[in-house]
Amino acid sequence: MSSLALPEEAHLLFVCEGTFEQYLISELLQAGKLIVDASSVVDITRTRGASQIQSQYLNFDYDWPVAIARVLDSRRENFSLGRLYRDRYPVLNSYTHPEIEMLIIVSEGMFSSYTQSFKSAMRLSEYCMQKLKLGNVKSRDFLE
């Protein structure tokens, strides 16, 4: 991953790990809450593999520099651009933490209950579905 500084006029390709990250970036962009303007965004995608990003987005002759802004909740995901792309497209990683499900558990006033009895035995999304009776908390409909 590149540690290059972002050129001031760079356009961003947002690569989002999941529905929540994609939804969040879209909402923040529409509300004008990001330091970049919507006109300087190449796309907001959930395509995450480096080879797919290269073929879908980086094989073009852009009139401006492009940087990749990855929004993830996991530090374990490997992302390595090919030799031809590595120095040309800086990659910035932003990690969302905690996961959206934990924010839901906190907003429902159930953090103590979750940490005391279910943390090791149940995934966050399972807890939201089983204990809080909230449907698919990862769906776009729920997030909206």
Side-chain angles (χ1 to χ4, degrees), residues 81-136:
L81 293 175
R83 183 171 37 101
L84 298 173
Y85 302 93
R86 224 171 264 148
D87 295 329
R88 186 171 173 197
Y89 299 100
V91 177
L92 308 161
N93 294 311
S94 293
Y95 299 99
T96 59
H97 209 65
E99 294 184 36
I100 185 64
E101 295 90 348
M102 183 55 80
L103 298 176
I104 292 166
I105 290 168
V106 169
S107 75
E108 294 292 318
M110 299 298 290
F111 181 72
S112 299
S113 172
Y114 173 75
T115 56
Q116 289 172 5
S117 53
F118 297 109
K119 187 173 184 178
S120 62
M122 191 177 291
R123 292 178 49 221
L124 291 167
S125 56
E126 291 171 358
Y127 183 86
C128 287
M129 288 187 280
Q130 292 178 18
K131 300 297 180 185
L132 301 179
K133 305 296 184 213
L134 297 173
N136 187 358

Side-chain angles (χ1 to χ4, degrees), residues 14 22-39 41 44 140:
F14 284 98
Q22 185 179 36
Y23 175 77
L24 179 65
I25 293 298
S26 296
E27 289 296 307
L28 291 172
L29 190 61
Q30 287 177 7
K33 301 292 184 184
L34 296 178
I35 61 170
V36 296
D37 186 73
S39 65
V41 172
I44 303 170
R140 187 165 185 102

